[in-house]
Short mmCIF file of all heavy atoms in Angstrom, two decimals:
data_model
loop_
_atom_site.label_atom_id
_atom_site.label_comp_id
_atom_site.label_asym_id
_atom_site.label_seq_id
_atom_site.Cartn_x
_atom_site.Cartn_y
_atom_site.Cartn_z
N VAL A 1 -23.70 -15.09 21.50
CA VAL A 1 -23.34 -13.74 21.93
C VAL A 1 -22.28 -13.79 23.03
O VAL A 1 -21.29 -13.05 23.02
CB VAL A 1 -24.58 -12.98 22.42
CG1 VAL A 1 -24.19 -11.67 23.09
CG2 VAL A 1 -25.53 -12.72 21.27
N LEU A 2 -22.47 -14.72 23.96
CA LEU A 2 -21.58 -14.78 25.12
C LEU A 2 -20.18 -15.27 24.76
O LEU A 2 -19.18 -14.75 25.26
CB LEU A 2 -22.20 -15.69 26.18
CG LEU A 2 -21.94 -15.28 27.63
CD1 LEU A 2 -22.36 -13.85 27.86
CD2 LEU A 2 -22.66 -16.20 28.58
N ARG A 3 -20.09 -16.28 23.91
CA ARG A 3 -18.78 -16.77 23.47
C ARG A 3 -17.99 -15.67 22.79
O ARG A 3 -16.78 -15.51 23.02
CB ARG A 3 -18.94 -17.97 22.53
CG ARG A 3 -19.34 -19.26 23.21
CD ARG A 3 -19.11 -20.44 22.26
NE ARG A 3 -19.78 -20.26 20.98
CZ ARG A 3 -21.02 -20.67 20.72
NH1 ARG A 3 -21.73 -21.25 21.69
NH2 ARG A 3 -21.57 -20.49 19.54
N ALA A 4 -18.65 -14.91 21.94
CA ALA A 4 -17.98 -13.81 21.24
C ALA A 4 -17.48 -12.76 22.23
O ALA A 4 -16.36 -12.25 22.10
CB ALA A 4 -18.93 -13.18 20.22
N ALA A 5 -18.28 -12.44 23.25
CA ALA A 5 -17.88 -11.44 24.23
C ALA A 5 -16.67 -11.92 25.03
O ALA A 5 -15.72 -11.17 25.26
CB ALA A 5 -19.04 -11.13 25.17
N GLN A 6 -16.69 -13.18 25.47
CA GLN A 6 -15.58 -13.71 26.27
C GLN A 6 -14.27 -13.74 25.48
O GLN A 6 -13.22 -13.31 25.95
CB GLN A 6 -15.90 -15.11 26.78
CG GLN A 6 -14.78 -15.69 27.65
CD GLN A 6 -14.88 -17.19 27.82
OE1 GLN A 6 -15.91 -17.79 27.51
NE2 GLN A 6 -13.81 -17.82 28.29
N GLN A 7 -14.35 -14.25 24.26
CA GLN A 7 -13.13 -14.39 23.45
C GLN A 7 -12.55 -13.03 23.08
O GLN A 7 -11.34 -12.82 23.16
CB GLN A 7 -13.45 -15.20 22.19
CG GLN A 7 -13.80 -16.66 22.48
CD GLN A 7 -14.35 -17.37 21.26
OE1 GLN A 7 -14.41 -16.81 20.17
NE2 GLN A 7 -14.78 -18.61 21.44
N THR A 8 -13.40 -12.09 22.70
CA THR A 8 -12.91 -10.80 22.26
C THR A 8 -12.34 -9.99 23.42
O THR A 8 -11.37 -9.25 23.26
CB THR A 8 -14.03 -10.00 21.57
OG1 THR A 8 -14.67 -10.83 20.60
CG2 THR A 8 -13.47 -8.77 20.88
N ALA A 9 -12.91 -10.16 24.61
CA ALA A 9 -12.43 -9.43 25.78
C ALA A 9 -11.24 -10.11 26.44
O ALA A 9 -10.72 -9.60 27.42
CB ALA A 9 -13.55 -9.28 26.80
N SER A 10 -10.83 -11.27 25.91
CA SER A 10 -9.76 -12.06 26.53
C SER A 10 -10.10 -12.31 28.01
O SER A 10 -9.27 -12.13 28.90
CB SER A 10 -8.41 -11.34 26.41
OG SER A 10 -7.36 -12.14 26.90
N ALA A 11 -11.35 -12.70 28.25
CA ALA A 11 -11.85 -12.93 29.60
C ALA A 11 -11.82 -14.42 29.92
O ALA A 11 -11.75 -15.27 29.04
CB ALA A 11 -13.27 -12.39 29.73
N ASP A 12 -11.87 -14.72 31.22
CA ASP A 12 -11.90 -16.12 31.67
C ASP A 12 -13.33 -16.65 31.75
O ASP A 12 -13.53 -17.86 31.76
CB ASP A 12 -11.23 -16.25 33.03
CG ASP A 12 -9.75 -15.91 32.97
OD1 ASP A 12 -9.03 -16.52 32.15
OD2 ASP A 12 -9.30 -15.02 33.71
N PHE A 13 -14.30 -15.76 31.84
CA PHE A 13 -15.69 -16.19 31.89
C PHE A 13 -16.58 -15.05 31.43
O PHE A 13 -16.17 -13.88 31.39
CB PHE A 13 -16.08 -16.63 33.30
CG PHE A 13 -16.03 -15.53 34.33
CD1 PHE A 13 -17.12 -14.70 34.56
CD2 PHE A 13 -14.88 -15.32 35.07
CE1 PHE A 13 -17.06 -13.68 35.49
CE2 PHE A 13 -14.81 -14.31 36.01
CZ PHE A 13 -15.91 -13.48 36.21
N ALA A 14 -17.81 -15.41 31.09
CA ALA A 14 -18.82 -14.41 30.72
C ALA A 14 -20.18 -14.97 31.10
O ALA A 14 -20.40 -16.18 31.06
CB ALA A 14 -18.76 -14.10 29.22
N THR A 15 -21.09 -14.09 31.49
CA THR A 15 -22.45 -14.50 31.83
C THR A 15 -23.44 -13.55 31.18
O THR A 15 -23.13 -12.38 30.93
CB THR A 15 -22.69 -14.50 33.36
OG1 THR A 15 -22.60 -13.15 33.85
CG2 THR A 15 -21.67 -15.38 34.07
N LEU A 16 -24.63 -14.07 30.93
CA LEU A 16 -25.71 -13.25 30.40
C LEU A 16 -26.95 -13.52 31.24
O LEU A 16 -27.42 -14.66 31.32
CB LEU A 16 -25.96 -13.58 28.93
CG LEU A 16 -26.90 -12.63 28.16
CD1 LEU A 16 -26.54 -12.64 26.67
CD2 LEU A 16 -28.36 -13.01 28.32
N ALA A 17 -27.45 -12.48 31.89
CA ALA A 17 -28.64 -12.60 32.74
C ALA A 17 -29.79 -11.82 32.10
O ALA A 17 -29.59 -10.71 31.61
CB ALA A 17 -28.36 -12.06 34.13
N LEU A 18 -30.99 -12.42 32.09
CA LEU A 18 -32.16 -11.80 31.49
C LEU A 18 -33.28 -11.67 32.53
O LEU A 18 -33.40 -12.50 33.43
CB LEU A 18 -32.67 -12.62 30.30
CG LEU A 18 -31.73 -12.75 29.10
CD1 LEU A 18 -32.35 -13.65 28.05
CD2 LEU A 18 -31.43 -11.38 28.50
N ILE A 19 -34.09 -10.64 32.37
CA ILE A 19 -35.25 -10.45 33.23
C ILE A 19 -36.38 -11.34 32.71
O ILE A 19 -36.73 -11.28 31.52
CB ILE A 19 -35.71 -8.98 33.24
CG1 ILE A 19 -34.57 -8.07 33.70
CG2 ILE A 19 -36.93 -8.80 34.12
CD1 ILE A 19 -34.90 -6.59 33.60
N ASN A 20 -36.93 -12.21 33.59
CA ASN A 20 -38.03 -13.07 33.16
C ASN A 20 -39.37 -12.36 33.32
O ASN A 20 -39.43 -11.21 33.77
CB ASN A 20 -38.00 -14.41 33.90
CG ASN A 20 -38.06 -14.22 35.41
OD1 ASN A 20 -38.61 -13.25 35.91
ND2 ASN A 20 -37.48 -15.17 36.14
N GLU A 21 -40.43 -13.06 32.97
CA GLU A 21 -41.75 -12.43 32.99
C GLU A 21 -42.19 -12.03 34.38
O GLU A 21 -43.02 -11.13 34.54
CB GLU A 21 -42.78 -13.37 32.35
CG GLU A 21 -42.56 -13.58 30.85
CD GLU A 21 -43.65 -14.42 30.24
OE1 GLU A 21 -44.58 -14.81 30.99
OE2 GLU A 21 -43.60 -14.69 29.04
N SER A 22 -41.67 -12.71 35.40
CA SER A 22 -42.04 -12.37 36.77
C SER A 22 -41.18 -11.23 37.33
O SER A 22 -41.33 -10.87 38.50
CB SER A 22 -41.92 -13.61 37.67
OG SER A 22 -40.60 -14.11 37.66
N GLY A 23 -40.28 -10.69 36.51
CA GLY A 23 -39.47 -9.55 36.92
C GLY A 23 -38.19 -9.91 37.64
O GLY A 23 -37.48 -9.03 38.13
N HIS A 24 -37.85 -11.20 37.69
CA HIS A 24 -36.62 -11.62 38.35
C HIS A 24 -35.49 -11.73 37.33
O HIS A 24 -35.72 -11.97 36.14
CB HIS A 24 -36.81 -12.97 39.05
CG HIS A 24 -37.84 -12.93 40.14
ND1 HIS A 24 -39.13 -13.41 39.95
CD2 HIS A 24 -37.80 -12.44 41.40
CE1 HIS A 24 -39.83 -13.24 41.06
NE2 HIS A 24 -39.05 -12.65 41.96
N LEU A 25 -34.26 -11.58 37.81
CA LEU A 25 -33.08 -11.62 36.95
C LEU A 25 -32.42 -12.98 37.10
O LEU A 25 -32.01 -13.37 38.18
CB LEU A 25 -32.11 -10.51 37.34
CG LEU A 25 -30.91 -10.27 36.43
CD1 LEU A 25 -31.37 -9.82 35.05
CD2 LEU A 25 -29.99 -9.22 37.04
N ARG A 26 -32.33 -13.72 35.99
CA ARG A 26 -31.79 -15.07 36.03
C ARG A 26 -30.68 -15.23 34.99
O ARG A 26 -30.78 -14.72 33.88
CB ARG A 26 -32.88 -16.11 35.77
CG ARG A 26 -32.43 -17.54 36.04
CD ARG A 26 -33.47 -18.56 35.62
NE ARG A 26 -34.64 -18.61 36.43
CZ ARG A 26 -34.75 -19.27 37.58
NH1 ARG A 26 -33.69 -19.91 38.06
NH2 ARG A 26 -35.88 -19.30 38.24
N VAL A 27 -29.61 -15.95 35.37
CA VAL A 27 -28.50 -16.23 34.45
C VAL A 27 -28.98 -17.26 33.43
O VAL A 27 -29.29 -18.40 33.79
CB VAL A 27 -27.27 -16.76 35.21
CG1 VAL A 27 -26.16 -17.10 34.23
CG2 VAL A 27 -26.78 -15.73 36.22
N ARG A 28 -29.02 -16.86 32.15
CA ARG A 28 -29.52 -17.74 31.10
C ARG A 28 -28.43 -18.28 30.19
O ARG A 28 -28.69 -19.14 29.34
CB ARG A 28 -30.57 -17.00 30.25
CG ARG A 28 -31.81 -16.61 31.00
CD ARG A 28 -32.54 -17.79 31.60
NE ARG A 28 -32.99 -18.73 30.60
CZ ARG A 28 -34.25 -18.84 30.19
NH1 ARG A 28 -35.18 -18.04 30.69
NH2 ARG A 28 -34.60 -19.74 29.30
N ALA A 29 -27.21 -17.78 30.34
CA ALA A 29 -26.10 -18.31 29.52
C ALA A 29 -24.80 -18.04 30.26
O ALA A 29 -24.64 -16.99 30.89
CB ALA A 29 -26.08 -17.66 28.14
N VAL A 30 -23.88 -19.01 30.18
CA VAL A 30 -22.58 -18.90 30.84
C VAL A 30 -21.52 -19.45 29.91
O VAL A 30 -21.74 -20.44 29.22
CB VAL A 30 -22.53 -19.68 32.18
CG1 VAL A 30 -21.21 -19.42 32.91
CG2 VAL A 30 -23.71 -19.31 33.07
N SER A 31 -20.35 -18.81 29.91
CA SER A 31 -19.22 -19.27 29.10
C SER A 31 -17.96 -19.18 29.94
O SER A 31 -17.80 -18.28 30.76
CB SER A 31 -19.08 -18.41 27.84
OG SER A 31 -17.96 -18.78 27.08
N GLY A 32 -17.04 -20.14 29.76
CA GLY A 32 -15.77 -20.09 30.47
C GLY A 32 -15.75 -20.91 31.74
O GLY A 32 -16.47 -21.91 31.88
N VAL A 33 -14.94 -20.50 32.71
CA VAL A 33 -14.65 -21.31 33.89
C VAL A 33 -15.84 -21.43 34.83
O VAL A 33 -15.83 -22.27 35.73
CB VAL A 33 -13.44 -20.74 34.67
CG1 VAL A 33 -12.19 -20.79 33.82
CG2 VAL A 33 -13.72 -19.31 35.13
N LEU A 34 -16.88 -20.62 34.67
CA LEU A 34 -18.04 -20.68 35.56
C LEU A 34 -19.22 -21.43 34.95
O LEU A 34 -20.33 -21.41 35.50
CB LEU A 34 -18.49 -19.26 35.95
CG LEU A 34 -17.46 -18.37 36.63
CD1 LEU A 34 -18.10 -17.06 37.06
CD2 LEU A 34 -16.84 -19.07 37.83
N THR A 35 -19.00 -22.11 33.82
CA THR A 35 -20.09 -22.72 33.08
C THR A 35 -20.95 -23.64 33.94
O THR A 35 -22.18 -23.63 33.86
CB THR A 35 -19.53 -23.50 31.87
OG1 THR A 35 -18.85 -22.59 31.00
CG2 THR A 35 -20.64 -24.20 31.10
N ASP A 36 -20.34 -24.48 34.76
CA ASP A 36 -21.08 -25.47 35.54
C ASP A 36 -21.45 -24.98 36.94
O ASP A 36 -21.82 -25.79 37.79
CB ASP A 36 -20.26 -26.76 35.66
CG ASP A 36 -19.98 -27.40 34.32
OD1 ASP A 36 -20.84 -27.28 33.42
OD2 ASP A 36 -18.90 -27.99 34.15
N HIS A 37 -21.36 -23.66 37.17
CA HIS A 37 -21.53 -23.19 38.54
C HIS A 37 -22.62 -22.13 38.72
O HIS A 37 -23.22 -22.07 39.80
CB HIS A 37 -20.20 -22.65 39.08
CG HIS A 37 -19.12 -23.66 39.15
ND1 HIS A 37 -18.34 -24.01 38.07
CD2 HIS A 37 -18.70 -24.44 40.18
CE1 HIS A 37 -17.47 -24.94 38.44
NE2 HIS A 37 -17.67 -25.22 39.70
N VAL A 38 -22.87 -21.30 37.75
CA VAL A 38 -23.83 -20.21 37.97
C VAL A 38 -24.99 -20.22 36.98
O VAL A 38 -25.86 -19.35 37.06
CB VAL A 38 -23.12 -18.84 37.90
CG1 VAL A 38 -22.05 -18.74 38.97
CG2 VAL A 38 -22.51 -18.58 36.53
N PHE A 39 -25.05 -21.19 36.08
CA PHE A 39 -26.16 -21.23 35.12
C PHE A 39 -27.47 -21.41 35.88
O PHE A 39 -27.60 -22.28 36.74
CB PHE A 39 -25.97 -22.37 34.12
CG PHE A 39 -27.05 -22.42 33.07
CD1 PHE A 39 -26.97 -21.62 31.96
CD2 PHE A 39 -28.14 -23.25 33.22
CE1 PHE A 39 -27.97 -21.64 30.99
CE2 PHE A 39 -29.14 -23.29 32.27
CZ PHE A 39 -29.05 -22.48 31.15
#
C-alpha cells in the first residue's frame, strides 16, 4: 500500500501508522528516504 502511495504521489517518502491494541499509534511501514529512520 505504501509503495503505491509514494510512487503515485511523486513523494520522497511515505509512512503508515496503525493503532495497536494498547491504543498507541506506531509506524508499521515506511517507504522512501525515511525507511531506516522512523520505522
